[in-house]
Amino acid sequence: MPHDSHDHDHGAHALLPPDPALRVRALETLLARKGFVDPAAMDAILDFYENRIGPRIGATVVARAWTDPDFRAALREDSTAALAAEGLLGRQGEHMVVVENTPEVHNVVVCTLCSCYPWPLLGIPPSWYKSDAYRARVVREPRKVLSEFGLTLPEAQSVRVWDSTAEIRYLVLPMRPEGTEGLGAEALADWVTRNAMIGTGLPERPQ
Amino acid sequence: MTRVHDMGGRYGDGAVDPAPDEPMFHAPWHRRAMALTLAAGAIGRWNIDAMRHAREAVAPQDYARFSYYEKWLAGVADMAVGRGMVTRAELAAAGDAAIGDQAGGEAGGEAGTAPPEFGPADPRALRPADVETILRRGSPSTRPGAAPTFTPGDRVRTRLPARNLAVDGGHTRLPAYAAGHLGRVLRHHGAHVLPDSNAHFLGEAPEPLYAVAFDAAEIWGSAERAGDEVVLDLWESYLVPAEHSE
């Protein structure tokens, strides 16, 4: 059986300076000078994720699912196709499954092996999602971890933790809160927090 | 046989800090590290499975002490060398130059803050005008492939141990905590590129991919509450029919 070559040539990164800011600078300068990375393209990437992508997109999807039965049915039937029709797929969200919370089941999403996350719908993942503590613990003791977010689930609800081990990205469709019956999709989207779409929170009345 | 990244179920990590008001990036270099990783990846010299494996393959003590974007940087540096884009000597020289620039900057100059010079463009280098198109397109992992052996409701058992069957110590997406357990197929996702092969540039080798649900008590010995479940996406070669192993 061949051995993993990474174990023999890994450590090239150790040739870079100890200060990570200088490490980035050195790598960016080298890859730019060699024509592999255009620093202006890096700026465009940052503009995209800092200014045009974020959890508001996911919140809009959730609010529409609450108010548009056909859209909800389409998400249930094939989330990827339903979101593709809206132009809402993309890098790290090429294949989507929307999982619905019910009075019987509460869904929580994690990636124990790295930090897979639905970027096109939620943006850049928060630190806690990438932390060792979340990755290690939420599969084994989800209720304890949720309590650290201030969320206590009723005994009647089972927990289903989705470990994102492949290229399928999961978005939690929370239950529509009571007291929002008169609201339209636009106003409802304000209730949908990022954490509610990961499963570590519930929709909240906007501040 | 496991690697340090395979931490699902591990004890001892302490409480999760929800940090509700954190900024998107905690330091300017985090921004550059994220963008550099995506821009360098767009060249196509590696794939996402190979990059994940490069991050996982850093020494365990580095993995534990590196912050998130430091792991990304290590992956880019190791891949750039491993895939022949830069030499170790060039990497070391670039590091020395960055240190020198910083020293010059501290002495009052502007060195080290101007955008780096972009050399003669590689034909596959990502250009600013194409960024949005590329990011919105992504890289779908579905491929034409074999029909699924299992159907929703089937009882399956995961392979034990969790390991790459073709490359000793190689990449796999079967977490150790889920190896050797009985589960039930929830859904078939179609045929997807197999990371165990693709990470090592051995071909995409697409296989049927399934969401498989496991009873929490089956995996952990006891559950916080009876009926709680863990669901993983698992390729067909990670699974055997349950009756074959009982």
Side-chain angles (χ1 to χ4, degrees):
Chain A
M1 179 181 285
H3 280 276
D4 177 14
S5 63
H6 286 287
D7 279 343
H8 305 290
D9 65 17
H10 86 69
H13 62 270
L15 297 164
L16 290 168
D19 177 354
L22 291 184
R23 248 179 274 163
V24 185
R25 179 75 190 173
L27 255 185
E28 179 183 343
T29 302
L30 177 58
L31 291 173
R33 183 163 48 76
K34 299 199 70 158
F36 291 122
V37 168
D38 181 350
M42 291 171 56
D43 293 337
I45 291 168
L46 286 162
D47 176 60
F48 185 73
Y49 287 113
E50 290 184 325
N51 300 316
R52 276 177 286 163
I53 294 289
R56 181 73 190 184
I57 296 174
T60 304
V61 169
V62 168
R64 184 164 166 210
W66 284 342
T67 54
D68 178 345
D70 291 342
F71 182 62
R72 188 178 190 130
L75 285 175
R76 211 175 263 160
E77 173 70 24
D78 184 341
S79 301
T80 302
L83 294 167
E86 304 297 318
L88 295 179
L89 301 180
R91 184 187 183 279
Q92 282 303 300
E94 292 93 344
H95 309 284
M96 289 296 310
V97 172
V98 175
V99 290
E100 294 187 26
N101 285 349
T102 68
E104 291 78 36
V105 181
H106 179 86
N107 295 283
V108 186
V109 181
V110 66
C111 170
T112 62
L113 295 174
C114 43
S115 308
C116 298
Y117 188 76
W119 285 37
L121 296 172
L122 299 183
I124 305 274
S127 294
W128 61 259
Y129 186 85
K130 303 179 285 194
S131 70
D132 286 5
Y134 185 73
R135 289 167 53 189
R137 292 178 49 222
V138 79
V139 279
R140 182 170 48 77
E141 45 182 8
R143 289 164 191 272
K144 182 133 189 283
V145 170
L146 295 185
S147 75
E148 290 160 17
F149 285 84
L151 176 58
T152 304
L153 297 179
E155 265 301 297
Q157 246 180 341
S158 68
V159 177
R160 189 175 257 187
V161 182
W162 298 80
D163 189 354
S164 313
T165 45
E167 298 304 333
I168 315 298
R169 297 290 165 267
Y170 291 92
L171 186 85
V172 176
L173 176 58
M175 288 187 285
R176 181 170 172 166
E178 290 178 16
T180 62
E181 289 73 15
L183 299 180
E186 181 88 3
L188 282 169
D190 293 339
W191 287 65
V192 185
T193 62
R194 176 194 65 202
N195 289 6
M197 295 180 277
I198 308 171
T200 56
L202 298 178
E204 292 171 11
R205 181 181 297 278
Q207 298 293 315
Chain B
M1 111 194 85
T2 63
R3 286 189 188 268
V4 63
H5 71 284
D6 186 3
M7 62 180 68
R10 185 173 76 184
Y11 286 90
D13 282 288
V16 178
D17 176 9
D21 298 316
E22 71 167 355
M24 188 181 298
F25 295 106
H26 288 261
W29 72 263
H30 289 194
R31 300 174 74 248
R32 301 310 285 178
M34 188 281 275
L36 179 66
T37 303
L38 268 57
I43 290 273
R45 296 283 184 101
W46 55 78
N47 56 65
I48 191 161
D49 299 305
M51 180 48 80
R52 285 202 185 104
H53 184 56
R55 293 173 192 153
E56 296 162 8
V58 301
Q61 59 269 34
D62 283 348
Y63 192 96
R65 76 185 167 87
F66 279 176
S67 64
Y68 180 71
Y69 287 114
E70 286 179 277
K71 293 181 193 111
W72 282 35
L73 282 180
V76 173
D78 291 352
M79 268 291 162
V81 170
R83 302 299 289 167
M85 292 164 74
V86 306
T87 65
R88 292 174 67 94
E90 286 174 322
L91 198 62
D96 290 343
I99 292 172
D101 282 354
Q102 186 195 43
E106 283 168 357
E110 289 296 313
T113 54
E117 174 197 350
F118 182 44
D122 183 276
R124 298 206 54 185
L126 178 62
R127 307 314 294 267
D130 300 323
V131 163
E132 178 156 358
T133 305
I134 294 292
L135 295 178
R136 289 198 187 277
R137 183 188 305 152
S139 303
S141 60
T142 42
R143 298 289 183 274
T149 300
F150 303 114
T151 53
D154 283 357
R155 301 286 290 170
V156 291
R157 188 181 288 276
T158 44
R159 268 193 351 234
L160 181 70
R163 68 185 188 112
N164 188 307
L165 295 178
V167 178
D168 194 21
H171 184 66
T172 188
R173 295 293 284 182
L174 174 57
Y177 80 81
H181 288 292
L182 268 178
R184 131 185 141 269
V185 174
L186 280 188
R187 59 191 297 160
H188 171 232
H189 293 301
H192 284 251
V193 173
L194 180 68
D196 305 48
S197 178
N198 200 39
H200 301 280
F201 306 102
L202 298 174
E204 294 190 329
E207 289 185 5
L209 177 72
Y210 307 90
V212 181
F214 298 86
D215 188 88
E218 151 73 10
I219 286 196
W220 308 114
S222 65
E224 282 183 311
R225 173 194 173 283
D228 286 353
E229 289 184 317
V230 183
V231 183
L232 297 90
D233 287 325
L234 301 171
W235 281 261
E236 185 150 310
S237 62
Y238 295 2
L239 304 170
V240 293
E243 60 270 24
H244 287 191
S245 52
E246 290 179 289

